[in-house]
Amino acid sequence: MNNGIKMPAVAFGTYLGFDQNGVVTPKNHELRDVVSKAIDIGWRHFDTAAIYGTEQELGEGVRMKIDDGNVKREDIFITTKLWNTKHKRDQVAQALRESLKNLGLNYVDLYLIHWPIGLNEDNSHSAVDYMETWRGMEDVQKLGLAKSIGVSNFNKGQLERVLKEGSVKPAALQIEVHPQITQSELVDFAQSNDIVVMGYSPFGSLVNRYDMPLPPPRIDDPVLVEIAEKYGKTTPQVVLRWAVDRNIVPIPKTMKVHRLEENINIFDFKLQKDEIDKINAFDKGLRYTLPSFWQSHPFYPFEKIDKPIDDPFLKKE
Ligand SMILES: NC(=O)c1ccc[n+]([C@@H]2O[C@H](COP(=O)([O-])OP(=O)(O)OC[C@H]3O[C@@H](n4cnc5c(N)ncnc54)[C@H](OP(=O)(O)O)[C@@H]3O)[C@@H](O)[C@H]2O)c1
C-alpha cells in the first residue's frame, strides 16, 4: 500500500447476508471454526465490519490460532469498517475501540469508512460531512488503533475530495467489483493514486443472489468454462484470478471448507490480456449492493433510480 505496509492479495469475506430478521449473525461458533480452518489453509486477510455482527467470532478464530502458536498477530491482516451512525469525528475512536473489543485485538490492520453516508441513531439522514469522519480516521491511525485507513463505497468525486482535503492519503478503496461491474474508471483512478482496490461480491452472478434475475456470466458460462478448462481451474477461480490480474484484492465469502481451498488456489496461473478483456466485456455497471433507500442523502455515492426500495434499517411501528 502507499504507506509501505503489505496487504495480502486475497481476503476472506465474513458478511453473512441479510434476511427478514435483518443482518444474519453467526451461530454455534460456525464462523470461528471456518476462520480457524481458513488460517490452516493459508488465508491471512479477513474482512469484517461493525454492522456484520461477525467481529467477535472472527476474532475468536484468529486468537485461537495465535494462542496455538500457528500464526503471530503480525501474520494476519484484519480489515473492519466504521458504521454510518458513528460519523462524527469523536465517535470514530469510540467505534473502533468497540470493534477491537469485539475482535479481542488491540489494533486492526485496516479501518474503512463503510459508506460516505452519515446517519443518526434512528437511521434518519445526518448532515455530517465525510471529511469530518476522515479526520476521525486520521486520529485513530495516530493513536495506533488502525495501522492503515481507507474508504468503501466512495465514488470518484468523493475519493478525489479525500485526496485533496485530507492529511493522510487513503491506503485502500473497497468497492463492488465482478464481471458485471468492472469499475474500470474508478479502479484506474484509485490505482493511479497508489490506492489499493479491494473488490467485494467478486463472484457477481456466478452465484445465486436472493431472488434477483441474474444476467450472464453464470457459473457455467461458456466463455468462463473455456478459460477454466485451459488452466485446469473452476470458473469461480478464473473470476478471482481476473481480479488479481487487475491488481484488485478480491473478497470472496464462503462457509464451506472445500471452497476455502478452491478460492485461494489461484496463485499458480495467470490470465492473458485477451482473456481479461473477454471477462471485462460482461460489464453492465450492474450493482448487487444498491442501497437506493439512501439515495436522497446528499452524499449518496451511486446513480439514482426511479423507484427506490424501502429502508430495511428504519424500524417500522
Ligand atoms: N464494503 C461493502 O459495502 C461490502 C458489501 C458487500 C460485501 N462486502 C464484503 O465482500 C464479501 C463477499 O461478498 P458477497 O458475500 O456479497 O459475495 P461473494 O463472495 O461474491 O459470494 C458469496 C457466495 O458465493 C458462494 N461461493 C463462495 N465460493 C464459491 C465457489 N468457489 N463456488 C461456488 N459458490 C461459491 C457462497 O456460498 P457458500 O458460503 O455456501 O460457499 C456465497 O453464497 C463479504 O463477505 C464482505 O466481507 C463488502
Side-chain angles (χ1 to χ4, degrees):
M1 295 183 288
N2 55 35
N3 56 13
I5 298 175
K6 291 194 172 181
M7 177 194 287
V10 59
F12 177 98
T14 67
Y15 177 50
L16 303 182
F18 213 87
D19 65 15
Q20 62 282 7
N21 303 315
V23 174
V24 176
T25 48
K27 296 194 178 52
N28 306 323
H29 301 296
E30 194 191 357
L31 181 64
R32 177 198 69 183
D33 295 341
V34 172
V35 165
S36 120
K37 191 77 200 157
I39 292 175
D40 290 340
I41 289 170
W43 292 82
R44 292 293 179 266
H45 184 175
F46 296 87
D47 181 76
T48 183
I51 197 72
Y52 297 170
T54 53
E55 289 174 328
Q56 203 168 332
E57 286 214 9
L58 166 59
E60 282 172 22
V62 168
R63 282 181 287 112
M64 242 162 64
K65 288 289 143 194
I66 295 174
D67 293 346
D68 288 355
N70 293 63
V71 283
K72 298 199 274 299
R73 171 65 186 91
E74 54 271 32
D75 299 327
I76 303 288
F77 193 104
I78 306 271
T79 298
T80 194
K81 311 183 194 88
L82 174 77
W83 189 238
N84 303 358
T85 51
K86 310 287 177 191
H87 271 211
K88 293 197 183 115
R89 182 172 181 171
D90 61 355
Q91 289 180 307
V92 179
Q94 275 171 23
L96 180 49
R97 286 202 167 95
E98 190 61 37
S99 285
L100 290 170
K101 203 169 101 194
N102 291 336
L103 286 158
L105 300 174
N106 53 19
Y107 70 90
V108 291
D109 297 277
L110 178 64
Y111 199 41
L112 302 175
I113 304 181
H114 205 148
W115 290 89
I117 292 168
L119 299 175
N120 298 312
E121 271 312 313
D122 64 359
N123 286 311
S124 59
H125 296 178
S126 117
V128 57
D129 187 327
Y130 56 81
M131 281 315 304
E132 173 181 336
T133 317
W134 188 249
R135 306 274 170 241
M137 299 294 280
E138 294 172 347
D139 295 340
V140 296
Q141 190 181 30
K142 276 200 202 88
L143 288 167
L145 302 176
K147 300 271 183 212
S148 303
I149 52 175
V151 296
S152 174
N153 296 306
F154 277 45
N155 64 29
K156 184 167 171 242
Q158 292 168 333
L159 189 57
E160 251 166 341
R161 193 169 159 228
V162 179
L163 285 169
K164 199 158 138 232
E165 296 176 27
S167 313
V168 175
K169 196 174 184 174
L173 167 72
Q174 186 176 125
I175 49 174
E176 182 169 348
V177 181
H178 49 72
Q180 291 83 25
I181 183 158
T182 59
Q183 302 260 29
S184 51
E185 192 188 337
L186 185 51
V187 168
D188 288 349
F189 177 73
Q191 291 180 342
S192 64
N193 281 288
D194 284 334
I195 297 168
V196 170
V197 178
M198 299 173 71
Y200 71 71
S201 305
F203 297 123
S205 61
L206 264 68
V207 300
N208 290 331
R209 293 195 184 264
Y210 309 99
D211 49 4
M212 291 172 123
L214 296 168
R218 301 305 316 272
I219 202 157
D220 57 354
D221 186 277
V223 172
L224 298 182
V225 169
E226 192 185 337
I227 300 172
E229 282 176 352
K230 172 175 162 191
Y231 295 106
K233 294 285 171 184
T234 64
T235 55
Q237 287 173 319
V238 166
V239 165
L240 293 176
R241 184 68 219 192
W242 164 78
V244 169
D245 284 334
R246 297 177 67 212
N247 281 324
I248 294 169
V249 174
I251 318 171
K253 169 257 166 191
T254 184
M255 293 295 276
K256 303 207 165 69
V257 172
H258 70 280
R259 288 180 174 164
L260 284 176
E261 308 252 11
E262 179 183 350
N263 294 348
I264 206 169
N265 184 9
I266 56 167
F267 295 101
D268 57 355
F269 76 116
K270 195 170 166 42
L271 299 186
Q272 291 180 348
K273 185 175 177 312
D274 65 308
E275 293 163 339
I276 294 172
D277 291 343
K278 275 186 194 161
I279 301 176
N280 286 342
F282 287 109
D283 187 25
K284 290 181 191 64
L286 179 73
R287 297 178 192 281
Y288 291 107
T289 295
L290 187 69
S292 57
F293 43 85
W294 287 330
Q295 71 179 22
S296 58
H297 193 286
F299 300 128
Y300 184 69
F302 305 148
E303 52 293 330
K304 294 184 183 177
I305 59 170
D306 287 344
K307 291 198 179 96
I309 59 166
D310 287 341
D311 188 343
F313 292 102
L314 276 180
K315 304 267 178 304
K316 308 240 168 35
E317 290 307 315

